[in-house]
Amino acid sequence: MTVPADLEADAARLREAMTKALATDGVPADQAWYQAVATVPRHRFVPGFYLPADARDGQGMTVWEPVTAELDYGRWLTAAYSDTTLITQFDGDEVDWNQPAVRHGGAPTSSSTLPSLVLRMWTDADITEGHTVLEIGTGTGYSTALACEYLNSANLTSIEVDSHRLETAANALFGLGYTPTLAIADGLYGYWPEAPFDRIVAACSFRAVPPALISQTRPGGKILLTLGGWLYGYARVLLTVEGDGTAEGQLLSGTVSFMSARAYAAPAFGNPTHWVTGLPETSRNAQHSPERITASTEEAFHLRFLAQSAAPDAQMTMVGEVVNLVDVTTGSAATLTPDDGAWQVRQGGPVKLWDRIETVLSAYDVAGRPGPEKFRLHVQDGGQHLRHPQMPDLPLPRP
C-alpha cells in the first residue's frame, strides 16, 4: 500500500499520546526527558520490525510477524508509538524489509527498546547537563536520539558491534540532525578515543563488569549496566568509580532484562536428554523446588540472578515437567523431576549444580529474603563480588 501523505501528522498525534501515557503511568523522568520523547520521531528509527502472533506454531515456537508501513500502516505506526520493544533482528541476520518473511522462533539480537525502559535507564544513570556519556548498544538509534535531545549531540558517544545496525541508525540520526560520535566497537572494550566519560550506560547485558569501562570512567563517574547470564537471571547496578580504579554500587530494584553482549552469548549444549542419560541413577529429595527460580514472579527473577552467581556456567531447560541444568564448561549436569509434590535431584560431573544453587537459596531465606537493593557489587583487584551482610559473598565470572 502507499504510505499516507499525512504520516508526520499522524506520528505527532500518537507521539503526544505516548508521552502523556508515560507520564500518567509514573515513569520516573524529569520534564526534559519527556520533552525528548515528545520530540523524537520513533517511527523514523523502525521502518520495519517484528511482533509476536497471537498463537504459537505447531512446534510450540513463537510466530513473529513482520510489520512495515507498506504491509499495515496503522499497525506499524501504532506499534511505533506504543510502550513496546520492537524486535528488528534475529540471530544476527539482516532483514530485507521490502520482502520480509514470517519467522518461527529465533533469538532476538537487536531491537528498539520500549520507551519507558529507555527513560528509566537514562534517568537512573543520573545524567546532568554537561556530562560526557558513552552509550553501549546503539541499536536502532532511538535511545541515542533521546540522549542527543537531552544532552546535546557533542556530549554523546554511541557504539555498536554490528556494522549494518550502526549504518542504519546513523542514517536515521543524521537525517534528523543528530550528530553524536558513532563507532563500530565491542562494548566489552568501551571506546578509548573519546574517554574518559562521566557516565557509561549499556543497553546490553554483561556477565561481569568489563574492566575497560571502569578505566574509561572519570573518578566519581558512574556506570549503569545490566548484569546477566546463562540462566537468564538479570540485575541492574549503578556503580561509582573511585580514583584507584575500584568501583562499588547498589543493585537497583525492578525486573529489567537486556540482550547479552554478543561475546557473552551462552554456548550451545545440544540435546538435554544426552546429558541426562549420563547421570547417576541415585537421587535425593530437593531441599528447594526449582519453581523458586522458574516462576514468573519478581522474586524468582531476583533469585535466578543469585542462583546464576553460584553456578555461572549453568544453563537451564525444561523437557515436559523435568528441569535440566547443563554446564558445558565443566561437563556437569543435573535434573530435577517432580515426584508426588516433591522433587528428585540427580547430579553428575565435577560441579554439583543444584547443590550450589540450593546453598544460595537457603542463605537467602536465612537472611530474610532480601531484595536486589539490599545487595552491593564490589569491583576491585580484578575480582567482582555481590555482597550482603547476612549472606556469603557471591563472585561474578571473570570478565
Side-chain angles (χ1 to χ4, degrees):
M1 65 168 288
T2 302
V3 177
D6 54 355
L7 164 60
E8 296 304 326
D10 290 343
R13 174 176 51 80
L14 290 172
R15 189 162 58 250
E16 180 182 6
M18 182 180 74
T19 305
K20 289 181 178 178
L22 292 173
T24 301
D25 290 343
V27 177
D30 64 35
Q31 188 56 43
W33 283 115
Y34 281 120
Q35 183 58 46
V37 173
T39 301
V40 175
R42 191 187 187 200
H43 69 280
R44 295 282 293 272
F45 296 90
V46 286
F49 48 84
Y50 281 94
L51 293 176
D54 293 334
R56 293 177 177 266
D57 66 12
Q59 284 70 48
M61 293 190 292
T62 301
V63 178
W64 293 96
E65 299 174 339
V67 181
T68 66
E70 288 71 23
L71 289 172
D72 189 331
Y73 172 78
R75 188 185 188 194
W76 168 71
L77 196 60
T78 299
Y81 289 103
S82 65
D83 193 29
T84 304
T85 292
L86 306 174
I87 306 299
T88 55
Q89 186 192 72
F90 289 88
D91 304 314
D93 298 330
E94 289 302 326
V95 181
D96 179 0
W97 291 112
N98 293 317
Q99 295 181 309
V102 173
R103 292 190 62 103
H104 293 253
T109 48
S110 190
S111 67
S112 177
T113 303
L114 66 163
S116 62
L117 178 52
V118 174
L119 283 184
R120 183 175 173 184
M121 292 290 289
W122 286 128
T123 299
D124 285 344
D126 191 24
I127 295 170
T128 60
E129 185 178 352
H131 277 162
T132 55
V133 177
L134 171 65
E135 178 190 36
I136 298 174
T138 312
T140 65
Y142 174 66
S143 65
T144 313
L146 293 179
C148 287
E149 280 287 337
Y150 185 90
L151 277 171
N152 187 304
S153 296
N155 287 353
L156 182 66
T157 298
S158 186
I159 61 174
E160 170 63 49
V161 71
D162 186 317
S163 59
H164 187 85
R165 291 283 89 209
L166 189 68
E167 180 182 4
T168 302
N171 288 337
L173 287 163
F174 297 157
L176 290 168
Y178 300 117
T179 57
T181 297
L182 301 176
I184 301 167
D186 190 326
L188 292 176
Y189 306 103
Y191 197 64
W192 285 102
E194 296 294 321
F197 301 97
D198 296 302
R199 297 289 186 271
I200 295 180
V201 179
C204 58
S205 65
F206 298 94
R207 297 184 75 198
V209 183
L213 302 189
I214 295 175
S215 300
Q216 293 174 31
T217 303
R218 286 193 177 94
K222 297 181 181 181
I223 302 171
L224 178 68
L225 52 74
T226 300
L227 299 170
W230 298 347
L231 285 181
Y232 296 100
Y234 298 92
R236 291 190 310 142
V237 64
L238 181 63
L239 293 166
T240 299
V241 176
E242 305 299 334
D244 59 0
T246 63
E248 181 181 342
Q250 181 181 12
L251 298 191
L252 304 180
S253 60
T255 55
V256 173
S257 61
F258 275 104
M259 299 172 192
S260 295
R262 296 193 185 183
Y264 279 169
F269 57 79
N271 189 331
T273 59
H274 295 167
W275 293 82
V276 172
T277 55
L279 295 179
E281 291 298 324
T282 56
S283 64
R284 67 167 176 85
N285 289 327
Q287 297 176 24
H288 296 275
S289 164
E291 293 168 319
R292 294 197 65 184
I293 63 173
T294 61
S296 298
T297 65
E298 191 164 331
E299 184 181 55
F301 187 94
H302 172 46
L303 279 177
R304 195 154 56 246
F305 175 72
L306 298 181
Q308 177 179 275
S309 300
D313 297 326
Q315 298 180 66
M316 181 169 56
T317 185
M318 296 187 68
V319 179
E321 294 183 296
V322 178
V323 178
N324 298 294
L325 296 168
V326 175
D327 178 350
V328 302
T329 303
T330 65
S332 304
T335 183
L336 293 101
T337 305
D339 179 28
D340 194 23
W343 291 83
Q344 291 295 313
V345 184
R346 294 164 57 211
Q347 303 179 93
V351 178
K352 299 301 181 280
L353 299 174
W354 193 246
D355 287 1
R356 287 194 176 187
I357 291 173
E358 283 194 325
T359 297
V360 172
L361 296 178
S362 294
Y364 169 80
D365 290 342
V366 170
R369 300 189 171 189
E373 66 282 355
K374 300 298 184 181
F375 290 81
R376 295 188 70 81
L377 177 64
H378 295 254
V379 181
Q380 56 190 6
D381 299 328
Q384 304 187 18
H385 293 82
L386 283 172
R387 290 176 179 161
H388 181 278
Q390 294 174 277
M391 289 183 63
D393 287 359
L394 292 171
L396 298 187
R398 286 282 176 177

